[in-house]
Amino acid sequence: MNQELVLDNTLQSAKNLAWWLYIAHAASLIFSLGLFSFIPLIINYVKREDAANTFVYSHHGWQIRSFWWYLVWMTLGGILFLTIFGIPAAFLVWALAWLWKLYREIKGIVDLNDNKTMP
C-alpha cells in the first residue's frame, strides 16, 4: 500500500519557511562561522508554534537545538583557546563543531524535503 502525504497551503508554507531557515543557518555557518545564526534562530522561535502538530515543528526544534549546542561547543573552544596548551584543542573543537553543525543542516534539509520528522 502506497501512502501519500498531502500538503495543504499552510503546511507547505511552514515547510518552505523551515527550508529557508535551514539555508539561512547554513549561510551563516559558511560566511560567518555561525555568528549571524541568531537571526534565523529568532524566526525559529517565533514561527515554531505555527507549525505545531506537523512534522515541520520538529525541524524548528532541530534547528534550535543545533544552534545552542554549536554555541556550547564554540564557547568551550574559546575557553580552551585562553590557555597556551589548549590552543590546538580549541582549533580541533571548533573544526569538529563546525562539521557537526554542517551535517545537521544538510540532514535537516534532506529530511525536510522527504517530509520526515527530526528526532
Side-chain angles (χ1 to χ4, degrees), residues 3 13 16-17 24 27 31 40 42 44 47-48 51 54 58 67 79 81-82 84 89 91 94-95 99 101 110 112 117:
Q3 291 182 337
S13 175
N16 288 340
L17 175 64
F31 295 114
I42 293 169
N44 280 124
K47 300 302 275 183
R48 180 168 59 165
T54 69
S58 67
F67 171 86
I79 292 168
F81 192 79
L82 296 175
I84 297 237
F91 283 110
W94 287 334
L99 288 171
K101 176 88 188 252
V110 169
L112 181 67
T117 61

mmCIF file of all heavy atoms in Angstrom, residues 3 13 16-17 24 27 31 40 42 44 47-48 51 54 58 67 79 81-82 84 89 91 94-95 99 101 110 112 117:
data_model
loop_
_atom_site.group_PDB
_atom_site.id
_atom_site.type_symbol
_atom_site.label_atom_id
_atom_site.label_comp_id
_atom_site.label_asym_id
_atom_site.label_seq_id
_atom_site.Cartn_x
_atom_site.Cartn_y
_atom_site.Cartn_z
ATOM 1 N N GLN A 3 1.409 5.104 0.629
ATOM 2 C CA GLN A 3 0.827 6.244 1.326
ATOM 3 C C GLN A 3 1.374 7.518 0.727
ATOM 4 O O GLN A 3 2.559 7.615 0.417
ATOM 5 C CB GLN A 3 1.152 6.204 2.816
ATOM 6 C CG GLN A 3 0.445 5.085 3.534
ATOM 7 C CD GLN A 3 0.752 5.118 5.014
ATOM 8 O OE1 GLN A 3 1.756 5.658 5.440
ATOM 9 N NE2 GLN A 3 -0.138 4.544 5.800
ATOM 10 N N SER A 13 3.535 26.217 3.338
ATOM 11 C CA SER A 13 4.151 27.487 3.719
ATOM 12 C C SER A 13 5.113 27.292 4.895
ATOM 13 O O SER A 13 6.224 27.834 4.899
ATOM 14 C CB SER A 13 3.071 28.500 4.076
ATOM 15 O OG SER A 13 3.638 29.683 4.561
ATOM 16 N N ASN A 16 8.195 25.540 3.567
ATOM 17 C CA ASN A 16 9.049 26.476 2.829
ATOM 18 C C ASN A 16 9.841 27.368 3.770
ATOM 19 O O ASN A 16 11.029 27.625 3.551
ATOM 20 C CB ASN A 16 8.220 27.331 1.878
ATOM 21 C CG ASN A 16 7.711 26.547 0.692
ATOM 22 O OD1 ASN A 16 8.230 25.488 0.358
ATOM 23 N ND2 ASN A 16 6.659 27.059 0.066
ATOM 24 N N LEU A 17 9.180 27.861 4.822
ATOM 25 C CA LEU A 17 9.880 28.709 5.795
ATOM 26 C C LEU A 17 11.004 27.933 6.466
ATOM 27 O O LEU A 17 12.131 28.438 6.595
ATOM 28 C CB LEU A 17 8.916 29.245 6.846
ATOM 29 C CG LEU A 17 9.581 30.051 7.962
ATOM 30 C CD1 LEU A 17 10.226 31.324 7.409
ATOM 31 C CD2 LEU A 17 8.599 30.371 9.056
ATOM 32 N N ALA A 24 19.430 29.821 5.700
ATOM 33 C CA ALA A 24 19.978 30.971 6.437
ATOM 34 C C ALA A 24 20.984 30.510 7.492
ATOM 35 O O ALA A 24 22.050 31.117 7.659
ATOM 36 C CB ALA A 24 18.849 31.777 7.083
ATOM 37 N N ALA A 27 24.093 29.386 5.560
ATOM 38 C CA ALA A 27 24.830 30.534 5.021
ATOM 39 C C ALA A 27 25.594 31.245 6.132
ATOM 40 O O ALA A 27 26.744 31.651 5.955
ATOM 41 C CB ALA A 27 23.873 31.507 4.332
ATOM 42 N N PHE A 31 29.571 31.671 5.961
ATOM 43 C CA PHE A 31 30.124 33.012 5.761
ATOM 44 C C PHE A 31 30.548 33.734 7.039
ATOM 45 O O PHE A 31 31.315 34.687 6.970
ATOM 46 C CB PHE A 31 29.133 33.878 4.980
ATOM 47 C CG PHE A 31 28.908 33.383 3.587
ATOM 48 C CD1 PHE A 31 27.680 32.901 3.191
ATOM 49 C CD2 PHE A 31 29.939 33.368 2.663
ATOM 50 C CE1 PHE A 31 27.464 32.433 1.908
ATOM 51 C CE2 PHE A 31 29.743 32.894 1.373
ATOM 52 C CZ PHE A 31 28.502 32.429 0.995
ATOM 53 N N PRO A 40 18.103 33.711 12.072
ATOM 54 C CA PRO A 40 17.118 32.661 11.802
ATOM 55 C C PRO A 40 16.642 31.961 13.076
ATOM 56 O O PRO A 40 15.518 31.464 13.121
ATOM 57 C CB PRO A 40 17.837 31.697 10.863
ATOM 58 C CG PRO A 40 19.273 32.043 10.924
ATOM 59 C CD PRO A 40 19.373 33.453 11.394
ATOM 60 N N ILE A 42 15.837 33.375 15.920
ATOM 61 C CA ILE A 42 14.694 34.146 16.423
ATOM 62 C C ILE A 42 13.441 33.786 15.622
ATOM 63 O O ILE A 42 12.362 33.580 16.192
ATOM 64 C CB ILE A 42 14.987 35.657 16.367
ATOM 65 C CG1 ILE A 42 16.089 36.016 17.362
ATOM 66 C CG2 ILE A 42 13.721 36.468 16.635
ATOM 67 C CD1 ILE A 42 16.645 37.417 17.198
ATOM 68 N N ASN A 44 12.926 30.975 14.089
ATOM 69 C CA ASN A 44 12.551 29.622 14.513
ATOM 70 C C ASN A 44 11.666 29.659 15.747
ATOM 71 O O ASN A 44 10.637 28.976 15.800
ATOM 72 C CB ASN A 44 13.784 28.774 14.831
ATOM 73 C CG ASN A 44 14.466 28.209 13.619
ATOM 74 O OD1 ASN A 44 15.657 28.429 13.429
ATOM 75 N ND2 ASN A 44 13.744 27.490 12.799
ATOM 76 N N LYS A 47 8.128 31.320 14.810
ATOM 77 C CA LYS A 47 7.257 30.593 13.883
ATOM 78 C C LYS A 47 7.058 29.120 14.248
ATOM 79 O O LYS A 47 6.265 28.437 13.601
ATOM 80 C CB LYS A 47 7.814 30.686 12.458
ATOM 81 C CG LYS A 47 7.920 32.099 11.927
ATOM 82 C CD LYS A 47 6.591 32.810 11.925
ATOM 83 C CE LYS A 47 5.822 32.507 10.684
ATOM 84 N NZ LYS A 47 4.555 33.226 10.574
ATOM 85 N N ARG A 48 7.737 28.639 15.271
ATOM 86 C CA ARG A 48 7.626 27.221 15.629
ATOM 87 C C ARG A 48 6.196 26.829 15.981
ATOM 88 O O ARG A 48 5.710 25.797 15.559
ATOM 89 C CB ARG A 48 8.571 26.903 16.781
ATOM 90 C CG ARG A 48 8.511 25.458 17.213
ATOM 91 C CD ARG A 48 9.615 25.065 18.120
ATOM 92 N NE ARG A 48 9.644 25.865 19.324
ATOM 93 C CZ ARG A 48 10.335 25.536 20.404
ATOM 94 N NH1 ARG A 48 11.061 24.452 20.404
ATOM 95 N NH2 ARG A 48 10.339 26.298 21.462
ATOM 96 N N ALA A 51 3.730 25.840 13.294
ATOM 97 C CA ALA A 51 3.890 24.509 12.703
ATOM 98 C C ALA A 51 3.531 23.401 13.683
ATOM 99 O O ALA A 51 3.835 22.236 13.435
ATOM 100 C CB ALA A 51 5.320 24.335 12.218
ATOM 101 N N THR A 54 2.624 19.290 13.243
ATOM 102 C CA THR A 54 3.077 18.889 11.911
ATOM 103 C C THR A 54 4.515 18.393 12.027
ATOM 104 O O THR A 54 5.181 18.628 13.045
ATOM 105 C CB THR A 54 3.033 20.057 10.907
ATOM 106 O OG1 THR A 54 4.027 21.028 11.255
ATOM 107 C CG2 THR A 54 1.656 20.703 10.858
ATOM 108 N N SER A 58 9.116 19.664 14.294
ATOM 109 C CA SER A 58 10.347 19.007 14.742
ATOM 110 C C SER A 58 11.580 19.613 14.076
ATOM 111 O O SER A 58 12.667 19.615 14.661
ATOM 112 C CB SER A 58 10.283 17.504 14.460
ATOM 113 O OG SER A 58 10.289 17.244 13.067
ATOM 114 N N PHE A 67 21.633 25.149 17.006
ATOM 115 C CA PHE A 67 22.231 26.443 17.317
ATOM 116 C C PHE A 67 22.849 26.441 18.720
ATOM 117 O O PHE A 67 24.000 26.832 18.900
ATOM 118 C CB PHE A 67 21.202 27.573 17.221
ATOM 119 C CG PHE A 67 21.729 28.889 17.731
ATOM 120 C CD1 PHE A 67 22.441 29.728 16.895
ATOM 121 C CD2 PHE A 67 21.532 29.279 19.048
ATOM 122 C CE1 PHE A 67 22.940 30.936 17.366
ATOM 123 C CE2 PHE A 67 22.026 30.476 19.524
ATOM 124 C CZ PHE A 67 22.734 31.312 18.680
ATOM 125 N N ILE A 79 37.173 28.892 25.482
ATOM 126 C CA ILE A 79 37.796 28.735 26.811
ATOM 127 C C ILE A 79 39.123 27.997 26.683
ATOM 128 O O ILE A 79 40.124 28.379 27.313
ATOM 129 C CB ILE A 79 36.833 28.004 27.763
ATOM 130 C CG1 ILE A 79 35.630 28.904 28.068
ATOM 131 C CG2 ILE A 79 37.530 27.590 29.050
ATOM 132 C CD1 ILE A 79 34.486 28.202 28.761
ATOM 133 N N PHE A 81 41.022 28.038 24.135
ATOM 134 C CA PHE A 81 41.942 28.919 23.435
ATOM 135 C C PHE A 81 42.662 29.878 24.391
ATOM 136 O O PHE A 81 43.749 30.357 24.091
ATOM 137 C CB PHE A 81 41.179 29.720 22.374
ATOM 138 C CG PHE A 81 42.072 30.446 21.417
ATOM 139 C CD1 PHE A 81 42.672 29.775 20.372
ATOM 140 C CD2 PHE A 81 42.305 31.808 21.559
ATOM 141 C CE1 PHE A 81 43.506 30.437 19.480
ATOM 142 C CE2 PHE A 81 43.125 32.482 20.673
ATOM 143 C CZ PHE A 81 43.737 31.796 19.624
ATOM 144 N N LEU A 82 42.046 30.132 25.547
ATOM 145 C CA LEU A 82 42.643 31.048 26.518
ATOM 146 C C LEU A 82 43.888 30.473 27.187
ATOM 147 O O LEU A 82 44.648 31.213 27.805
ATOM 148 C CB LEU A 82 41.623 31.440 27.588
ATOM 149 C CG LEU A 82 40.420 32.240 27.072
ATOM 150 C CD1 LEU A 82 39.419 32.462 28.202
ATOM 151 C CD2 LEU A 82 40.864 33.554 26.470
ATOM 152 N N ILE A 84 47.525 28.290 26.831
ATOM 153 C CA ILE A 84 48.539 28.014 25.806
ATOM 154 C C ILE A 84 48.445 26.566 25.333
ATOM 155 O O ILE A 84 48.512 26.299 24.149
ATOM 156 C CB ILE A 84 49.944 28.303 26.389
ATOM 157 C CG1 ILE A 84 50.046 29.752 26.723
ATOM 158 C CG2 ILE A 84 51.028 27.774 25.487
ATOM 159 C CD1 ILE A 84 51.137 30.509 26.104
ATOM 160 N N ALA A 89 43.773 22.151 20.936
ATOM 161 C CA ALA A 89 42.490 21.510 21.233
ATOM 162 C C ALA A 89 41.334 22.419 20.851
ATOM 163 O O ALA A 89 40.294 21.945 20.384
ATOM 164 C CB ALA A 89 42.412 21.137 22.716
ATOM 165 N N PHE A 91 41.217 24.596 18.374
ATOM 166 C CA PHE A 91 41.020 24.514 16.928
ATOM 167 C C PHE A 91 40.341 23.201 16.531
ATOM 168 O O PHE A 91 39.502 23.176 15.629
ATOM 169 C CB PHE A 91 42.339 24.703 16.178
ATOM 170 C CG PHE A 91 42.773 26.135 16.109
ATOM 171 C CD1 PHE A 91 43.873 26.578 16.820
ATOM 172 C CD2 PHE A 91 42.072 27.051 15.346
ATOM 173 C CE1 PHE A 91 44.274 27.898 16.765
ATOM 174 C CE2 PHE A 91 42.458 28.380 15.276
ATOM 175 C CZ PHE A 91 43.560 28.806 15.993
ATOM 176 N N TRP A 94 36.638 23.528 17.546
ATOM 177 C CA TRP A 94 35.949 24.422 16.611
ATOM 178 C C TRP A 94 35.698 23.731 15.270
ATOM 179 O O TRP A 94 34.621 23.865 14.701
ATOM 180 C CB TRP A 94 36.752 25.692 16.398
ATOM 181 C CG TRP A 94 36.732 26.626 17.558
ATOM 182 C CD1 TRP A 94 35.771 26.735 18.517
ATOM 183 C CD2 TRP A 94 37.714 27.606 17.890
ATOM 184 N NE1 TRP A 94 36.105 27.714 19.412
ATOM 185 C CE2 TRP A 94 37.290 28.258 19.053
ATOM 186 C CE3 TRP A 94 38.925 27.977 17.308
ATOM 187 C CZ2 TRP A 94 38.018 29.282 19.653
ATOM 188 C CZ3 TRP A 94 39.656 28.994 17.895
ATOM 189 C CH2 TRP A 94 39.203 29.645 19.050
ATOM 190 N N ALA A 95 36.687 23.022 14.763
ATOM 191 C CA ALA A 95 36.532 22.342 13.474
ATOM 192 C C ALA A 95 35.469 21.247 13.563
ATOM 193 O O ALA A 95 34.612 21.130 12.676
ATOM 194 C CB ALA A 95 37.866 21.749 13.023
ATOM 195 N N LEU A 99 31.852 21.128 11.549
ATOM 196 C CA LEU A 99 31.448 19.986 10.719
ATOM 197 C C LEU A 99 30.144 19.366 11.214
ATOM 198 O O LEU A 99 29.283 18.982 10.424
ATOM 199 C CB LEU A 99 32.560 18.934 10.691
ATOM 200 C CG LEU A 99 33.801 19.298 9.895
ATOM 201 C CD1 LEU A 99 34.901 18.267 10.124
ATOM 202 C CD2 LEU A 99 33.467 19.421 8.420
ATOM 203 N N LYS A 101 27.727 20.894 12.875
ATOM 204 C CA LYS A 101 26.617 21.805 12.546
ATOM 205 C C LYS A 101 26.289 21.714 11.052
ATOM 206 O O LYS A 101 25.116 21.705 10.676
ATOM 207 C CB LYS A 101 26.990 23.240 12.934
ATOM 208 C CG LYS A 101 25.970 24.292 12.553
ATOM 209 C CD LYS A 101 24.933 24.490 13.612
ATOM 210 C CE LYS A 101 23.823 25.399 13.147
ATOM 211 N NZ LYS A 101 23.673 26.647 13.601
ATOM 212 N N VAL A 110 17.579 17.567 3.903
ATOM 213 C CA VAL A 110 17.234 16.320 3.213
ATOM 214 C C VAL A 110 15.959 15.725 3.809
ATOM 215 O O VAL A 110 15.037 15.333 3.080
ATOM 216 C CB VAL A 110 18.404 15.314 3.276
ATOM 217 C CG1 VAL A 110 17.974 13.931 2.818
ATOM 218 C CG2 VAL A 110 19.580 15.822 2.452
ATOM 219 N N LEU A 112 13.640 17.271 5.561
ATOM 220 C CA LEU A 112 12.507 18.162 5.291
ATOM 221 C C LEU A 112 11.972 17.920 3.890
ATOM 222 O O LEU A 112 10.760 17.837 3.675
ATOM 223 C CB LEU A 112 12.926 19.621 5.477
ATOM 224 C CG LEU A 112 11.829 20.663 5.259
ATOM 225 C CD1 LEU A 112 10.758 20.563 6.340
ATOM 226 C CD2 LEU A 112 12.415 22.060 5.232
ATOM 227 N N THR A 117 10.091 13.649 9.987
ATOM 228 C CA THR A 117 10.286 14.388 11.231
ATOM 229 C C THR A 117 11.727 14.220 11.682
ATOM 230 O O THR A 117 12.414 13.276 11.295
ATOM 231 C CB THR A 117 9.346 13.868 12.344
ATOM 232 O OG1 THR A 117 9.638 12.496 12.583
ATOM 233 C CG2 THR A 117 7.898 14.050 11.969
#
